[in-house]
Amino acid sequence: MLSVAMGAATTAPMAAMADAEAAPSGCAATDAAIYTAPSSVDGNPGDLLACRSVALPHVPGNVPMKAWKVQYASTNVQGKKIAVSGTVAVPTATWAGPGSRPVVAFNPGTVGLGSQCAFSKQLAGAYQDEYEGEQVEAFLKAGFAVAATDGVGYLDGQTHTYMAGQNAGHALLDIVRTSRQVPGGSLASDGKVAISGYSEGGAAALWGAQLASSYAPELHMAGVAAGGVPGDLRLVGKQLNGGPFAGFLADAQIGLHQAYPNLPFDQLLNDNGRQAVKNATSNCLYGTLASFLGANVENYTTNHYTLDQLYALKGSDGMSWGDAVDAQKLGADIGGPNSGAKYKMDFPTFQYRGVFEEVIATQAEEDTRSRYCKAGITTQWNSSYPGEHLLTDSIAINDVTAWIGDRFAGKAAPSNCPLF
């Protein structure tokens, strides 16, 4: 229901990394403890709250590594401290590049809303619905450490705040801070950082990039690679509604409600709508897509609201669904470090999509690239990968890894922005 969306709010500069003394003395937490939400979260964003050494059987290639499940502190769209889960993996091979070993902050593409779908659980061998173990493998083989967030809302009893951009961006930046606190780890605070993701992960990656200078200014950002990006949610929602991928729309409505609980939601639903919520939260990716094949938002509310009618509805704080959706347009109010823009960036982007893209409105992807270019952000764009939405993710792996590697090596970033 409604549209794929990313939450946003005004960000204030946050404290840097937590005191090392606050971190656990060892990674001996139980698996259950990693996914149990604490009653309250103290300390700074990125504080390591719990960790557990794990193997990652669903990262192919038998890459020698050390890996940990982690629970860490982050900040949600309301500015509240929350706990988030994720995975940190570091190759055991000596880093052969310049400086300290770099880190890729990685956000997976859509895996589903329920806590059973968490990317960290799947990489470690639980239920398999994820499709990006090969991306993690490529980064590790290149010698990069990987800090892969599950995203907000994957602890037990929670629901993922699907596509809530500020939540996603904070979680990505904070897990980099966390990766340097793992007992027995080897990552240093001066290591360069890149952000990467595709689809939901691509939107999260760009949100992390846009928020980095204000939320995590101490991180040495090298670049961001983002593919299949739903950059304009009205365009994306219009294409998804009533089509074969309407499950993403259902996830987004539920995820936005989790992020913005004042928006009208429960009181709008009819019996079909209430069942839809149960279906979405009990399934992971493919089950959700099957449950909502061809679904139309008009069938889930008592008044049979269209998307445009839903956008007009306001919550108790005066925010409408349309306000929440429009606030998530990627590339809006961005600029260079000396600009007056809300979101300041001084590092490049690589954005891409497939020729046969059928999930995300291609205009939304191309317009996002255009907004970055017009803002003066060095941007390389590739729209020629010979795949549809899912296949393009894997086709682009080598290019993404090479582009990030060049940024870590200090090479000048290419740009193919048009002249405006």
Side-chain angles (χ1 to χ4, degrees):
M1 299 168 62
L2 262 181
S3 73
V4 179
M6 293 76 60
T10 301
T11 48
M14 302 297 293
M17 287 177 55
D19 235 324
E21 293 180 0
S25 59
C27 284
T30 64
D31 200 63
I34 296 295
Y35 301 104
T36 299
S39 57
S40 63
V41 178
D42 298 318
N44 295 319
D47 271 2
L48 177 63
L49 303 178
C51 56
R52 173 181 176 82
S53 297
V54 293
L56 302 179
H58 289 291
V59 174
N62 296 314
V63 185
M65 71 177 92
K66 291 183 177 180
W68 302 266
K69 286 184 177 182
V70 295
Q71 184 188 104
Y72 62 99
S74 191
T75 313
N76 71 8
V77 68
Q78 284 82 28
K80 179 183 177 181
K81 293 177 182 177
I82 57 172
V84 180
S85 55
T87 305
V88 173
V90 182
T92 56
T94 301
W95 168 243
S100 300
R101 189 189 300 274
V103 178
V104 177
F106 182 70
N107 197 109
T110 303
V111 293
L113 292 184
S115 59
Q116 75 277 11
C117 310
F119 189 56
S120 62
K121 290 181 178 180
Q122 297 198 48
L123 287 180
Y127 171 78
Q128 280 306 292
D129 210 42
E130 63 84 19
Y131 45 88
E132 293 195 294
E134 290 181 351
Q135 184 69 79
V136 176
E137 174 198 12
F139 293 150
L140 293 172
K141 281 187 172 180
F144 316 149
V146 176
T149 183
D150 289 338
V152 175
Y154 280 109
L155 302 185
D156 291 343
Q158 297 180 347
T159 298
H160 177 40
T161 60
Y162 183 65
M163 300 298 288
Q166 188 166 358
N167 286 0
H170 289 170
L172 271 169
L173 297 168
D174 284 329
I175 198 171
V176 175
R177 292 163 161 163
T178 306
S179 69
R180 294 160 176 176
Q181 300 177 36
V182 174
S186 57
L187 301 178
S189 61
D190 63 346
K192 292 183 179 180
V193 178
I195 308 176
S196 182
Y198 185 82
S199 193
E200 177 192 354
L206 289 184
W207 271 108
Q210 293 185 174
L211 293 167
S213 68
S214 60
Y215 186 77
E218 83 282 2
L219 299 182
H220 301 289
M221 299 301 304
V224 55
V229 177
D232 184 324
L233 305 182
R234 288 191 185 240
L235 290 176
V236 173
K238 183 177 180 180
Q239 175 160 311
L240 292 176
N241 191 33
F245 304 102
F248 295 126
L249 209 52
D251 278 359
Q253 171 69 19
I254 297 165
L256 272 180
H257 176 243
Q258 293 297 315
Y260 299 96
N262 289 328
L263 290 173
F265 185 76
D266 293 333
Q267 66 270 37
L268 305 179
L269 301 176
N270 57 21
D271 288 344
N272 288 336
R274 285 185 283 273
Q275 184 59 49
V277 173
K278 293 179 181 179
N279 290 342
T281 54
S282 61
N283 284 301
C284 294
L285 173 60
Y286 296 113
T288 298
L289 291 178
S291 295
F292 291 92
L293 184 66
N296 191 298
V297 296
E298 294 183 23
N299 296 324
Y300 295 109
T301 58
T302 54
N303 290 331
H304 302 286
Y305 289 117
T306 65
L307 274 175
D308 286 340
Q309 289 171 331
L310 284 166
Y311 291 149
L313 301 179
K314 294 183 178 181
S316 58
D317 59 357
M319 173 182 275
S320 71
W321 277 102
D323 293 335
V325 167
D326 292 340
Q328 318 316 318
K329 182 179 285 188
L330 281 159
D333 204 1
I334 62 171
N338 298 317
S339 71
K342 179 178 180 180
Y343 304 113
K344 297 177 175 63
M345 291 179 59
D346 62 355
F347 52 90
T349 80
F350 173 37
Q351 299 181 36
Y352 57 98
R353 70 168 178 86
V355 171
F356 306 110
E357 172 67 70
E358 82 289 24
V359 177
I360 306 300
T362 56
Q363 183 181 345
E365 297 171 299
E366 292 171 1
D367 287 353
T368 301
R369 174 260 188 147
S370 180
R371 288 190 290 273
Y372 270 76
C373 287
K374 287 180 178 179
I377 308 301
T378 300
T379 299
Q380 182 180 0
W381 169 250
N382 190 330
S383 59
S384 63
Y385 289 108
E388 39 63 62
H389 186 72
L390 184 58
L391 186 59
T392 296
D393 188 18
S394 59
I395 293 174
I397 286 175
N398 290 337
D399 285 353
V400 169
T401 305
W403 186 89
I404 290 174
D406 286 345
R407 306 293 77 74
F408 286 154
K411 296 181 180 180
S415 174
N416 56 3
C417 285
L419 296 176
F420 294 102

